[in-house]
Amino acid sequence: MSFEIILGAWVATGLTLFIFSFLYKDNPLFKFAEHLYVGVSLGYIIVKTYDSVVLHLIVKPIVENGEIALLIPVAIGMLMLTRYVPKAAWMSRYAFAFIVGMGAGLAIPRTISSFILKQIEDTVRPLLSMTGQDGLAFSMNLLNPGSNLNALIILLGVSSVLFYFFFSIEHSGAGRAVARTGVIFLMISFGAGFGYTVMARMSLLIGRLTDLIEFSDASYGRPTIWLLAVTIGALVVLSRRMRREPPQEGEG
């Protein structure tokens, strides 16, 4: 196994254990890994942006392909930098106005299409399907998004949720039951979103634990075992040192 792979395994293991040390309490090891992660991420984003945007989207098309029209967005971007020059800061307003207007013009149709028209399309789907031999039929296959049962559930959910936010009449009697049904659909939606977020975080945790188990192999030099012992020892030393330090002035 190459030296670069072994070194990468040691670095990844050490930083992972330093981050996990926060489960004990806030400590210098965690702060070191946190600051290093933020700094490396920021540096990578700057270099990646320079390579993918400045070089490949601006410099090379203008120099190699002669696309002079790209100087217009470059000029707009340069106008945004005048924000840091007090006497010329007024020029940045034109750039921001153009970008906000252009962004809104591009985002509004997509948002309407994705969140409004698509919702309306799924809500007004027919509750019965026309078949060639049997005539009208009702499909109850929950695994098929286009089934009639799913169309009925979507219609019931959208209608009840909209009624829940309709405050012109009192939610009593049958209206209260419809509003409560809307609350149930909202809770299911929020729960599904929260569950998706939790599962995404769990997948990251499983990935880090998998690496720790893999890097405990002798082919990597067992970095998980050695660095775990170093991390625990460092936390013990730091904890004892903090107990011995006298409280500073103003502290209880």
Side-chain angles (χ1 to χ4, degrees):
M1 190 173 296
S2 64
F3 173 76
E4 291 79 6
I5 297 178
I6 296 177
L7 179 61
W10 280 79
V11 173
T13 302
L15 293 178
T16 301
L17 293 175
F18 288 173
I19 292 295
F20 283 164
S21 67
F22 184 76
L23 297 175
Y24 168 63
K25 66 177 181 179
D26 194 6
N27 59 85
L29 297 180
F30 168 76
K31 292 180 179 178
F32 169 76
E34 181 185 27
H35 287 79
L36 183 63
Y37 175 78
V38 173
V40 171
S41 301
L42 181 60
Y44 175 80
I45 291 175
I46 293 174
V47 174
K48 189 65 177 180
T49 303
Y50 174 78
D51 179 71
S52 59
V53 177
V54 178
L55 291 182
H56 289 82
L57 297 182
I58 298 177
V59 176
K60 289 185 177 180
I62 294 177
V63 175
E64 298 178 0
N65 303 328
E67 300 180 10
I68 308 300
L70 291 176
L71 293 176
I72 298 177
V74 172
I76 295 175
M78 297 299 293
L79 285 177
M80 296 179 63
L81 297 178
T82 60
R83 188 73 177 176
Y84 300 100
V85 182
K87 295 184 178 180
W90 61 272
M91 300 176 63
S92 64
R93 298 177 182 176
Y94 295 99
F96 282 110
F98 177 81
I99 292 176
V100 171
M102 193 70 179
L106 294 175
I108 290 175
R110 294 181 181 179
T111 303
I112 293 177
S113 175
S114 301
F115 295 96
I116 298 180
L117 297 182
K118 183 62 177 176
Q119 185 71 58
I120 294 175
E121 177 185 351
D122 292 336
T123 305
V124 299
R125 283 187 302 173
L127 301 180
L128 296 176
S129 301
M130 179 67 69
T131 59
Q133 299 179 353
D134 303 331
L136 296 178
F138 186 83
S139 175
M140 301 184 64
N141 186 11
L142 287 173
L143 300 179
N144 181 15
S147 67
N148 302 121
L149 181 58
N150 286 325
L152 180 62
I153 294 175
I154 292 175
L155 177 61
L156 178 62
V158 173
S159 302
S160 60
V161 168
L162 291 178
F163 183 82
Y164 171 74
F165 289 103
F166 187 73
F167 303 110
S168 297
I169 60 176
E170 183 180 359
H171 293 171
S172 59
R176 179 179 176 84
V178 176
R180 296 295 298 178
T181 304
V183 172
I184 294 175
F185 276 96
L186 287 174
M187 294 299 102
I188 293 175
S189 176
F190 295 152
F194 179 74
Y196 176 81
T197 303
V198 172
M199 291 305 298
R201 301 299 185 270
M202 288 298 297
S203 65
L204 294 176
L205 176 61
I206 292 173
R208 300 316 309 149
L209 295 178
T210 301
D211 288 342
L212 291 178
I213 295 173
E214 179 182 356
F215 295 152
S216 63
D217 189 76
S219 59
Y220 294 96
R222 302 188 186 278
T224 302
I225 299 175
W226 291 108
L227 292 178
L228 179 60
V230 171
T231 303
I232 295 175
L235 291 176
V236 172
V237 172
L238 291 172
S239 178
R240 291 183 176 180
R241 180 176 298 179
M242 293 178 61
R243 292 177 181 177
R244 293 177 181 177
E245 290 180 356
Q248 299 179 359
E249 296 183 359
E251 297 182 355

